PDB file of all heavy atoms in Angstrom:
ATOM      1  N   ASN G  36     -16.853  -1.780  15.041  1.00 33.00           N
ATOM      2  CA  ASN G  36     -17.784  -1.521  16.127  1.00 33.00           C
ATOM      3  C   ASN G  36     -18.595  -2.772  16.385  1.00 33.00           C
ATOM      4  O   ASN G  36     -18.932  -3.504  15.487  1.00 33.00           O
ATOM      5  CB  ASN G  36     -18.769  -0.398  15.750  1.00 33.00           C
ATOM      6  CG  ASN G  36     -18.016   0.809  15.275  1.00 33.00           C
ATOM      7  OD1 ASN G  36     -17.122   1.239  15.974  1.00 33.00           O
ATOM      8  ND2 ASN G  36     -18.355   1.317  14.099  1.00 33.00           N
ATOM      9  N   LEU G  37     -18.913  -2.980  17.628  1.00 30.00           N
ATOM     10  CA  LEU G  37     -19.715  -4.138  17.976  1.00 30.00           C
ATOM     11  C   LEU G  37     -20.966  -3.685  18.711  1.00 30.00           C
ATOM     12  O   LEU G  37     -20.893  -3.006  19.722  1.00 30.00           O
ATOM     13  CB  LEU G  37     -18.919  -5.086  18.891  1.00 30.00           C
ATOM     14  CG  LEU G  37     -17.614  -5.632  18.302  1.00 30.00           C
ATOM     15  CD1 LEU G  37     -16.943  -6.520  19.328  1.00 30.00           C
ATOM     16  CD2 LEU G  37     -17.905  -6.419  17.045  1.00 30.00           C
ATOM     17  N   PHE G  38     -22.123  -4.059  18.186  1.00 29.00           N
ATOM     18  CA  PHE G  38     -23.365  -3.940  18.928  1.00 29.00           C
ATOM     19  C   PHE G  38     -23.619  -5.322  19.501  1.00 29.00           C
ATOM     20  O   PHE G  38     -23.710  -6.288  18.752  1.00 29.00           O
ATOM     21  CB  PHE G  38     -24.535  -3.555  18.013  1.00 29.00           C
ATOM     22  CG  PHE G  38     -24.498  -2.149  17.561  1.00 29.00           C
ATOM     23  CD1 PHE G  38     -23.698  -1.780  16.501  1.00 29.00           C
ATOM     24  CD2 PHE G  38     -25.268  -1.187  18.183  1.00 29.00           C
ATOM     25  CE1 PHE G  38     -23.663  -0.477  16.052  1.00 29.00           C
ATOM     26  CE2 PHE G  38     -25.235   0.112  17.742  1.00 29.00           C
ATOM     27  CZ  PHE G  38     -24.440   0.475  16.681  1.00 29.00           C
ATOM     28  N   ARG G  39     -23.735  -5.431  20.825  1.00 28.00           N
ATOM     29  CA  ARG G  39     -23.879  -6.741  21.440  1.00 28.00           C
ATOM     30  C   ARG G  39     -25.318  -6.921  21.903  1.00 28.00           C
ATOM     31  O   ARG G  39     -25.907  -6.031  22.499  1.00 28.00           O
ATOM     32  CB  ARG G  39     -22.906  -6.862  22.620  1.00 28.00           C
ATOM     33  CG  ARG G  39     -21.461  -6.797  22.130  1.00 28.00           C
ATOM     34  CD  ARG G  39     -20.497  -6.541  23.243  1.00 28.00           C
ATOM     35  NE  ARG G  39     -19.146  -6.425  22.699  1.00 28.00           N
ATOM     36  CZ  ARG G  39     -18.108  -5.996  23.403  1.00 28.00           C
ATOM     37  NH1 ARG G  39     -18.261  -5.645  24.649  1.00 28.00           N
ATOM     38  NH2 ARG G  39     -16.932  -5.931  22.846  1.00 28.00           N
ATOM     39  N   VAL G  40     -25.882  -8.062  21.604  1.00 29.00           N
ATOM     40  CA  VAL G  40     -27.279  -8.293  21.936  1.00 29.00           C
ATOM     41  C   VAL G  40     -27.418  -9.602  22.686  1.00 29.00           C
ATOM     42  O   VAL G  40     -26.547 -10.458  22.631  1.00 29.00           O
ATOM     43  CB  VAL G  40     -28.140  -8.340  20.656  1.00 29.00           C
ATOM     44  CG1 VAL G  40     -28.053  -7.022  19.928  1.00 29.00           C
ATOM     45  CG2 VAL G  40     -27.687  -9.454  19.728  1.00 29.00           C
ATOM     46  N   ARG G  41     -28.511  -9.758  23.385  1.00 27.00           N
ATOM     47  CA  ARG G  41     -28.757 -10.955  24.163  1.00 27.00           C
ATOM     48  C   ARG G  41     -28.746 -12.179  23.242  1.00 27.00           C
ATOM     49  O   ARG G  41     -29.469 -12.246  22.261  1.00 27.00           O
ATOM     50  CB  ARG G  41     -30.107 -10.852  24.878  1.00 27.00           C
ATOM     51  CG  ARG G  41     -30.427 -12.029  25.782  1.00 27.00           C
ATOM     52  CD  ARG G  41     -31.760 -11.832  26.478  1.00 27.00           C
ATOM     53  NE  ARG G  41     -31.805 -10.577  27.215  1.00 27.00           N
ATOM     54  CZ  ARG G  41     -31.326 -10.437  28.454  1.00 27.00           C
ATOM     55  NH1 ARG G  41     -30.738 -11.455  29.057  1.00 27.00           N
ATOM     56  NH2 ARG G  41     -31.417  -9.281  29.062  1.00 27.00           N
ATOM     57  N   GLY G  42     -27.895 -13.140  23.621  1.00 30.00           N
ATOM     58  CA  GLY G  42     -27.883 -14.398  22.905  1.00 30.00           C
ATOM     59  C   GLY G  42     -27.218 -14.352  21.553  1.00 30.00           C
ATOM     60  O   GLY G  42     -27.286 -15.302  20.792  1.00 30.00           O
ATOM     61  N   GLY G  43     -26.513 -13.274  21.195  1.00 31.00           N
ATOM     62  CA  GLY G  43     -25.876 -13.221  19.885  1.00 31.00           C
ATOM     63  C   GLY G  43     -25.103 -11.940  19.730  1.00 31.00           C
ATOM     64  O   GLY G  43     -24.683 -11.347  20.708  1.00 31.00           O
ATOM     65  N   PHE G  44     -24.936 -11.500  18.503  1.00 29.00           N
ATOM     66  CA  PHE G  44     -24.191 -10.275  18.294  1.00 29.00           C
ATOM     67  C   PHE G  44     -24.554  -9.654  16.964  1.00 29.00           C
ATOM     68  O   PHE G  44     -25.056 -10.301  16.069  1.00 29.00           O
ATOM     69  CB  PHE G  44     -22.675 -10.533  18.343  1.00 29.00           C
ATOM     70  CG  PHE G  44     -22.241 -11.677  17.475  1.00 29.00           C
ATOM     71  CD1 PHE G  44     -22.061 -11.515  16.116  1.00 29.00           C
ATOM     72  CD2 PHE G  44     -22.033 -12.928  18.046  1.00 29.00           C
ATOM     73  CE1 PHE G  44     -21.661 -12.569  15.333  1.00 29.00           C
ATOM     74  CE2 PHE G  44     -21.634 -13.986  17.252  1.00 29.00           C
ATOM     75  CZ  PHE G  44     -21.448 -13.820  15.894  1.00 29.00           C
ATOM     76  N   VAL G  45     -24.274  -8.377  16.869  1.00 30.00           N
ATOM     77  CA  VAL G  45     -24.407  -7.655  15.609  1.00 30.00           C
ATOM     78  C   VAL G  45     -23.096  -6.915  15.402  1.00 30.00           C
ATOM     79  O   VAL G  45     -22.597  -6.278  16.313  1.00 30.00           O
ATOM     80  CB  VAL G  45     -25.561  -6.631  15.667  1.00 30.00           C
ATOM     81  CG1 VAL G  45     -25.626  -5.843  14.366  1.00 30.00           C
ATOM     82  CG2 VAL G  45     -26.877  -7.345  15.918  1.00 30.00           C
ATOM     83  N   SER G  46     -22.538  -6.998  14.234  1.00 31.00           N
ATOM     84  CA  SER G  46     -21.312  -6.249  13.945  1.00 31.00           C
ATOM     85  C   SER G  46     -21.613  -5.152  12.949  1.00 31.00           C
ATOM     86  O   SER G  46     -22.370  -5.340  12.020  1.00 31.00           O
ATOM     87  CB  SER G  46     -20.244  -7.177  13.354  1.00 31.00           C
ATOM     88  OG  SER G  46     -19.123  -6.425  12.978  1.00 31.00           O
ATOM     89  N   SER G  47     -21.003  -4.008  13.176  1.00 32.00           N
ATOM     90  CA  SER G  47     -21.233  -2.863  12.291  1.00 32.00           C
ATOM     91  C   SER G  47     -19.990  -2.008  12.220  1.00 32.00           C
ATOM     92  O   SER G  47     -19.137  -2.071  13.074  1.00 32.00           O
ATOM     93  CB  SER G  47     -22.387  -2.027  12.823  1.00 32.00           C
ATOM     94  OG  SER G  47     -22.489  -0.812  12.123  1.00 32.00           O
ATOM     95  N   SER G  48     -19.886  -1.190  11.200  1.00 33.00           N
ATOM     96  CA  SER G  48     -18.881  -0.137  11.147  1.00 33.00           C
ATOM     97  C   SER G  48     -19.597   1.191  11.226  1.00 33.00           C
ATOM     98  O   SER G  48     -20.711   1.344  10.754  1.00 33.00           O
ATOM     99  CB  SER G  48     -18.078  -0.219   9.845  1.00 33.00           C
ATOM    100  OG  SER G  48     -17.342  -1.410   9.795  1.00 33.00           O
ATOM    101  N   ILE G  49     -18.938   2.187  11.825  1.00 30.00           N
ATOM    102  CA  ILE G  49     -19.644   3.431  12.112  1.00 30.00           C
ATOM    103  C   ILE G  49     -19.577   4.375  10.935  1.00 30.00           C
ATOM    104  O   ILE G  49     -18.614   5.045  10.715  1.00 30.00           O
ATOM    105  CB  ILE G  49     -19.112   4.072  13.391  1.00 30.00           C
ATOM    106  CG1 ILE G  49     -20.050   5.185  13.834  1.00 30.00           C
ATOM    107  CG2 ILE G  49     -17.745   4.603  13.260  1.00 30.00           C
ATOM    108  CD1 ILE G  49     -20.211   5.248  15.295  1.00 30.00           C
ATOM    109  N   SER G  50     -20.575   4.394  10.142  1.00 33.00           N
ATOM    110  CA  SER G  50     -20.722   5.404   9.092  1.00 33.00           C
ATOM    111  C   SER G  50     -22.177   5.409   8.694  1.00 33.00           C
ATOM    112  O   SER G  50     -22.936   4.511   9.026  1.00 33.00           O
ATOM    113  CB  SER G  50     -19.838   5.094   7.887  1.00 33.00           C
ATOM    114  OG  SER G  50     -20.445   4.137   7.073  1.00 33.00           O
ATOM    115  N   GLY G  51     -22.555   6.426   7.981  1.00 34.00           N
ATOM    116  CA  GLY G  51     -23.944   6.521   7.581  1.00 34.00           C
ATOM    117  C   GLY G  51     -24.361   5.351   6.725  1.00 34.00           C
ATOM    118  O   GLY G  51     -23.660   4.951   5.817  1.00 34.00           O
ATOM    119  N   MET G  52     -25.521   4.786   7.021  1.00 34.00           N
ATOM    120  CA  MET G  52     -26.125   3.741   6.204  1.00 34.00           C
ATOM    121  C   MET G  52     -25.182   2.562   6.001  1.00 34.00           C
ATOM    122  O   MET G  52     -24.934   2.108   4.894  1.00 34.00           O
ATOM    123  CB  MET G  52     -26.542   4.316   4.853  1.00 34.00           C
ATOM    124  CG  MET G  52     -27.530   5.450   4.967  1.00 34.00           C
ATOM    125  SD  MET G  52     -29.014   5.018   5.893  1.00 34.00           S
ATOM    126  CE  MET G  52     -29.768   3.806   4.806  1.00 34.00           C
ATOM    127  N   THR G  53     -24.602   2.055   7.073  1.00 33.00           N
ATOM    128  CA  THR G  53     -23.714   0.906   6.991  1.00 33.00           C
ATOM    129  C   THR G  53     -24.489  -0.373   7.220  1.00 33.00           C
ATOM    130  O   THR G  53     -25.341  -0.447   8.084  1.00 33.00           O
ATOM    131  CB  THR G  53     -22.598   1.025   8.045  1.00 33.00           C
ATOM    132  OG1 THR G  53     -21.904   2.234   7.819  1.00 33.00           O
ATOM    133  CG2 THR G  53     -21.628  -0.130   7.947  1.00 33.00           C
ATOM    134  N   ARG G  54     -24.143  -1.399   6.464  1.00 32.00           N
ATOM    135  CA  ARG G  54     -24.878  -2.651   6.570  1.00 32.00           C
ATOM    136  C   ARG G  54     -24.610  -3.315   7.909  1.00 32.00           C
ATOM    137  O   ARG G  54     -23.495  -3.328   8.401  1.00 32.00           O
ATOM    138  CB  ARG G  54     -24.430  -3.586   5.448  1.00 32.00           C
ATOM    139  CG  ARG G  54     -25.334  -4.784   5.292  1.00 32.00           C
ATOM    140  CD  ARG G  54     -24.902  -5.639   4.121  1.00 32.00           C
ATOM    141  NE  ARG G  54     -25.831  -6.708   3.865  1.00 32.00           N
ATOM    142  CZ  ARG G  54     -25.614  -7.656   2.986  1.00 32.00           C
ATOM    143  NH1 ARG G  54     -24.525  -7.662   2.272  1.00 32.00           N
ATOM    144  NH2 ARG G  54     -26.513  -8.602   2.790  1.00 32.00           N
ATOM    145  N   VAL G  55     -25.651  -3.874   8.505  1.00 30.00           N
ATOM    146  CA  VAL G  55     -25.532  -4.582   9.774  1.00 30.00           C
ATOM    147  C   VAL G  55     -25.974  -6.011   9.558  1.00 30.00           C
ATOM    148  O   VAL G  55     -26.964  -6.274   8.897  1.00 30.00           O
ATOM    149  CB  VAL G  55     -26.415  -3.922  10.865  1.00 30.00           C
ATOM    150  CG1 VAL G  55     -26.389  -4.739  12.130  1.00 30.00           C
ATOM    151  CG2 VAL G  55     -25.942  -2.511  11.142  1.00 30.00           C
ATOM    152  N   ARG G  56     -25.258  -6.953  10.137  1.00 28.00           N
ATOM    153  CA  ARG G  56     -25.637  -8.351  10.071  1.00 28.00           C
ATOM    154  C   ARG G  56     -25.816  -8.865  11.492  1.00 28.00           C
ATOM    155  O   ARG G  56     -24.933  -8.697  12.319  1.00 28.00           O
ATOM    156  CB  ARG G  56     -24.545  -9.166   9.359  1.00 28.00           C
ATOM    157  CG  ARG G  56     -24.851 -10.632   9.274  1.00 28.00           C
ATOM    158  CD  ARG G  56     -23.844 -11.341   8.400  1.00 28.00           C
ATOM    159  NE  ARG G  56     -23.886 -10.837   7.045  1.00 28.00           N
ATOM    160  CZ  ARG G  56     -24.811 -11.213   6.169  1.00 28.00           C
ATOM    161  NH1 ARG G  56     -25.735 -12.078   6.490  1.00 28.00           N
ATOM    162  NH2 ARG G  56     -24.806 -10.713   4.958  1.00 28.00           N
ATOM    163  N   ALA G  57     -26.952  -9.479  11.779  1.00 29.00           N
ATOM    164  CA  ALA G  57     -27.208 -10.019  13.102  1.00 29.00           C
ATOM    165  C   ALA G  57     -27.273 -11.533  13.043  1.00 29.00           C
ATOM    166  O   ALA G  57     -27.923 -12.080  12.169  1.00 29.00           O
ATOM    167  CB  ALA G  57     -28.527  -9.474  13.652  1.00 29.00           C
ATOM    168  N   ILE G  58     -26.607 -12.198  13.953  1.00 27.00           N
ATOM    169  CA  ILE G  58     -26.650 -13.648  14.041  1.00 27.00           C
ATOM    170  C   ILE G  58     -27.301 -13.992  15.368  1.00 27.00           C
ATOM    171  O   ILE G  58     -26.778 -13.637  16.416  1.00 27.00           O
ATOM    172  CB  ILE G  58     -25.230 -14.266  14.023  1.00 27.00           C
ATOM    173  CG1 ILE G  58     -24.347 -13.607  12.952  1.00 27.00           C
ATOM    174  CG2 ILE G  58     -25.294 -15.756  13.876  1.00 27.00           C
ATOM    175  CD1 ILE G  58     -24.873 -13.702  11.562  1.00 27.00           C
TER     176      ILE G  58
END
Side-chain angles (χ1 to χ4, degrees):
N36 308 309
L37 300 179
F38 287 81
R39 296 165 183 169
V40 299
R41 183 179 305 276
F44 50 81
V45 177
S46 175
S47 170
S48 295
I49 192 142
S50 81
M52 301 305 293
T53 302
R54 192 177 186 187
V55 174
R56 179 172 298 281
I58 316 301

